[in-house]
Amino acid sequence: MYRTKPSGPAPTRQPIWTGTRIAPWGFLIVTLVANACAEPHRRTAAAAVDREAPPKVLPAETPRPYRAAALEAARWLESTAIETEAGLTWPVAPGATVEPYRDARETTLYLGSSGVTWFFAELAHATDDAHALAIARRGGDHLLAWMQSELPAQERRDAGLYTGVAGVGWVLGRLAEIAGDSRYEAGARGAVDWLTRHADEATDTPETADGLPAAWGPSTDIISGAAGIGLFLLDAGRTLGSPHAIDLAAAAGRALIAQAEATDDGGYRWQMTPGFPRTMPNFSHGTAGIAYFLASLFLETGDQAFLDAALGGARHLLAIADVTATSCLIHHHEPGGETLYYLSWCHGPAGTGRLFHRLHQATGDDAWRVWLAKSAGGLEASGIPEQQTPGYWNNVGPCCGAAGVAWFLLGAEESLQDAKYRQLALRLADDLLLRAERTPAGLKWTHAEHRTRPELLAAQTGYMQGAAGIGLFLLDLDAVLHDGPRVAALPDSPFGAR
């Protein structure tokens, strides 16, 4: 069960960010992410960053610069908030004049107000700031109203961890923990109930022996499909004390095992959806993410079938990997992308390395720690952040860029107890600050969400591509450096808190 505190109106006081020494104040997500698979857009190497120079957006004497930058991101995000009848929401990209960002608003964790609400909740948790908590509550109130008014009309395709109901439910659950308000816990339970009612009984996958439906449409992956939804259900089962949620996650896992494709190397692989023209093996849309979910199911249930399938997925990934004595990289997609290597959460070692860590947790076999180290070694060998690569472009977010890579390196340090990973994470964080844009309202980051659309630049608000996600990483980095409260780990992360 969520631990709740007495609810009631938050006290009014100046937000913590006004007292700093800094200058004043969807549904197409899956298609857009997947379509970053065309031929590489090559960029020239960026000039080396002067590591002795302080980040330009903050005064040189700024204490705890990563926390200060997160507070500046909070100022910008507050300035972009939109009042609704129920609370607050946020535009995907404030002021954008081009599609798909113009006038776009969403509730999703990937691009929408869920991610911003989560950021303000964690900011309140880290700083004990009542104003940040009040903003988080108002964001949560909007999400609750959305669940009451819009959720009944949502389709099964809108169930995903990053693209729909599961992600909204997770954020409401985390807000319940921080705010101590049972209304948000009820919202998280409502998400589980909706997922139960809308599980797809009409797929080619049969219902399981216990009669539970098996999936939520054709997608198998972490972003929008059964693997990501199942991870939310596992998390909800633990935090809400709901055995039913775990049973439903296990049903999804058994359905995924039935969909596995045996490979010539003796392993398994999974397609993102049946008939999709490319196979993307890494974390967000492919075998690595699904195997991670299955290994997580084994840890929760002890069912050997889940671990066997996860090990089969890992066996295939290692068979196709580009491996050296110190690194492991897996190509972006096939056919046609066998020489393109991303570095990020979505399609690179910053995501797929999570599977290796999870398998070590599941098996106790130290060989998986070696593969985790090789994943981090691929990042070390890449030359980032001083140079860009075909798979590491003008992007600094948790999905595709610097924040996600650096966050993974903090996890690698935590697991492997090697300070060199923190040092690279700090270089990436400093580069991230150097690339921030200082405005009268605070800090924002303008970058290209899609590798194949380098001209499509926007400053987003949300988690995966915007200031909320970058701010969450900066808060967590500050917590690591100063022994503060960690940002809660998402259901697809084996590192950090929770």
Side-chain angles (χ1 to χ4, degrees), residues 272-287:
M272 181 177 75
T273 57
F276 195 77
R278 295 180 292 273
T279 297
M280 294 171 284
N282 285 286
F283 198 74
S284 62
H285 292 302
T287 296

Side-chain angles (χ1 to χ4, degrees), residues 6-87:
S7 61
T12 301
R13 75 184 192 198
Q14 286 288 86
I16 190 171
W17 46 90
T18 63
T20 64
R21 301 175 61 189
I22 318 283
W25 254 336
F27 170 65
L28 292 179
I29 294 171
V30 176
T31 305
L32 291 171
V33 173
N35 279 345
C37 318
E39 287 303 306
H41 171 74
R42 294 188 174 271
R43 298 177 58 86
T44 58
V49 177
D50 182 357
R51 293 296 158 198
E52 298 302 317
K56 296 177 182 178
V57 294
L58 301 175
E61 68 276 15
T62 300
R64 298 177 70 167
Y66 307 118
R67 182 176 183 269
L71 294 173
E72 286 291 279
R75 290 205 304 119
W76 181 73
L77 286 166
E78 185 177 8
S79 77
T80 68
I82 299 170
E83 295 271 357
T84 69
E85 290 185 5

Side-chain angles (χ1 to χ4, degrees), residues 46-385:
V49 177
D50 182 357
R51 293 296 158 198
E52 298 302 317
K56 296 177 182 178
V57 294
L58 301 175
E61 68 276 15
T62 300
R64 298 177 70 167
Y66 307 118
R67 182 176 183 269
L71 294 173
E72 286 291 279
R75 290 205 304 119
W76 181 73
L77 286 166
E78 185 177 8
S79 77
T80 68
I82 299 170
E83 295 271 357
T84 69
E85 290 185 5
L88 291 177
T89 190
W90 283 265
V92 170
T97 58
V98 297
E99 299 298 342
Y101 303 121
R102 183 171 52 196
D103 299 325
R105 299 185 199 176
E106 292 195 13
T107 57
T108 66
L109 180 54
Y110 192 98
L111 293 175
S113 64
S114 291
V116 186
T117 298
W118 177 31
F119 166 67
F120 278 104
E122 295 289 354
L123 181 62
H125 181 58
T127 63
D128 197 29
D129 184 63
H131 185 71
L133 183 58
I135 294 174
R137 283 178 173 273
R138 298 193 68 201
D141 291 346
H142 175 79
L143 294 176
L144 288 177
W146 174 83
M147 291 188 73
Q148 293 168 2
S149 62
E150 302 292 332
L151 193 56
Q154 298 298 298
E155 302 177 15
R156 283 191 297 267
R157 70 180 186 179
D158 300 312
L161 177 59
Y162 288 101
T163 61
V165 176
V168 174
W170 186 85
V171 169
L172 288 171
R174 179 57 178 157
L175 180 56
E177 291 182 318
I178 292 171
D181 192 326
S182 61
R183 294 179 306 127
Y184 304 126
E185 179 181 334
R189 291 182 183 280
V192 174
D193 292 343
W194 186 93
L195 291 167
T196 300
R197 293 194 306 272
H198 289 77
D200 189 353
E201 297 163 327
T203 63
D204 293 333
T205 306
E207 291 189 13
T208 57
D210 55 15
L212 287 170
W216 293 266
S219 179
T220 61
D221 67 11
I222 291 283
I223 287 274
S224 68
I229 297 165
L231 286 166
F232 162 68
L233 290 168
L234 284 178
D235 184 88
R238 292 186 291 267
T239 56
L240 294 171
S242 172
H244 169 73
I246 294 174
D247 290 343
L248 191 55
R254 288 190 286 271
L256 286 169
I257 292 174
Q259 293 172 271
E261 176 186 341
T263 55
D264 292 340
D265 46 57
Y268 299 117
R269 71 174 184 176
W270 284 264
Q271 295 286 97
M272 181 177 75
T273 57
F276 195 77
R278 295 180 292 273
T279 297
M280 294 171 284
N282 285 286
F283 198 74
S284 62
H285 292 302
T287 296
I290 293 165
Y292 178 90
F293 168 51
L294 295 173
S296 301
L297 273 171
F298 168 76
L299 284 171
E300 186 67 39
T301 68
D303 188 333
Q304 186 67 33
F306 294 133
L307 181 58
D308 290 344
L311 291 169
R315 187 178 305 116
H316 170 64
L317 291 170
L318 295 181
I320 64 173
D322 183 348
V323 178
T324 72
T326 58
S327 71
C328 175
L329 297 174
I330 298 169
H331 56 256
H332 183 277
H333 68 278
E334 55 190 57
E338 291 86 353
T339 61
L340 173 60
Y341 296 95
Y342 276 33
L343 302 179
S344 50
W345 171 90
C346 51
H347 297 285
T352 296
R354 297 176 178 210
L355 169 62
F356 302 141
H357 181 66
R358 182 60 99 209
L359 288 173
H360 177 256
Q361 292 175 320
T363 66
D365 185 346
D366 283 343
W368 296 114
R369 288 169 55 84
V370 174
W371 290 110
L372 173 63
K374 285 178 179 284
S375 297
L379 299 171
E380 290 182 286
S382 69
I384 63 170

